[in-house]
Amino acid sequence: SHWKYRMIFLVNGVVWTVINLISCAVFLRWNRMIGIPDEFFVLGSQALLEMILQMAWIPGIVLMSHLCHQGMEATMYALMAGSQNLGSNISYFTGAYLLQLLEVQPSGKEGETRQFDNLWLVAVISSLAGLVPLLFLPWLIPDARPDEKLIEVTANEDK
């Protein structure tokens, strides 16, 4: 591929954000205006989001395999998986805090439709928050293609 890591991560992040923003249409009922049932719209957008997340995972694995020293592959994979899990948990807690902050706290009682008035705003904020890590790409991700060597192997590592 002629794409560099930074561009791969940038495109994945922007596509993920756009699909996430499109899924906000359900909260504003725009999908109903164009005749798409909620079930199809939500399932379709969630399937696309999962596909994008998996596509973003693969370049990360390739990058890590190029950056780790021989014999450390399992440790690096475990660190990457652990970091992914930590990031997911932080996003869950941040999302819960944002729901509370914007007073989206339904209790299941009848007639609490107003509890969902700001749900679209929570969805937009959480979607746009996915763009923040992209600002750090120039400093955190090497400007290289996946087929380029990133570190030199020393004589001691060959043994």
Side-chain angles (χ1 to χ4, degrees), residues 19-38:
I19 293 171
N20 228 357
L21 284 171
I22 290 171
S23 67
C24 296
V26 172
F27 304 128
L28 297 169
R29 314 305 292 160
W30 292 347
N31 61 308
R32 291 290 186 147
M33 289 184 219
I34 58 175
I36 301 175
D38 291 342

Side-chain angles (χ1 to χ4, degrees), residues 62-77 151 153 157:
V62 173
L63 177 62
M64 292 300 284
S65 70
H66 283 290
L67 290 175
C68 74
H69 295 281
Q70 192 173 11
M72 296 295 295
E73 295 87 356
T75 303
M76 293 302 284
Y77 184 80
I151 59 172
V153 178
E157 290 183 52

Side-chain angles (χ1 to χ4, degrees), residues 10-151:
L10 179 69
V11 169
N12 275 329
V14 170
V15 169
W16 183 86
T17 300
V18 169
I19 293 171
N20 228 357
L21 284 171
I22 290 171
S23 67
C24 296
V26 172
F27 304 128
L28 297 169
R29 314 305 292 160
W30 292 347
N31 61 308
R32 291 290 186 147
M33 289 184 219
I34 58 175
I36 301 175
D38 291 342
E39 296 84 7
F40 292 119
F41 198 86
V42 170
L43 286 174
S45 64
Q46 289 302 310
L48 282 173
L49 282 173
E50 189 59 33
M51 183 181 72
I52 296 300
L53 287 174
Q54 293 305 317
M55 285 175 53
W57 181 254
I58 293 169
I61 295 294
V62 173
L63 177 62
M64 292 300 284
S65 70
H66 283 290
L67 290 175
C68 74
H69 295 281
Q70 192 173 11
M72 296 295 295
E73 295 87 356
T75 303
M76 293 302 284
Y77 184 80
L79 282 170
M80 187 172 172
S83 297
Q84 178 75 24
N85 290 336
L86 176 64
S88 293
N89 285 329
I90 290 171
S91 73
Y92 298 147
F93 288 121
T94 305
Y97 176 72
L98 192 57
L99 287 169
Q100 185 176 11
L101 186 69
L102 293 175
E103 300 175 359
V104 180
Q105 300 173 321
S107 62
K109 296 178 184 170
E110 218 172 291
E112 60 178 3
T113 306
R114 306 254 335 138
Q115 286 292 321
F116 296 98
D117 286 349
N118 289 332
L119 187 57
W120 71 271
L121 184 57
V122 172
V124 168
I125 292 170
S126 66
S127 296
L128 294 177
L131 294 174
V132 173
L134 300 180
L135 299 173
F136 300 100
L137 286 178
W139 297 281
L140 298 176
I141 303 297
D143 190 29
R145 291 189 323 269
D147 60 351
E148 291 179 19
K149 206 172 209 177
L150 298 176
I151 59 172

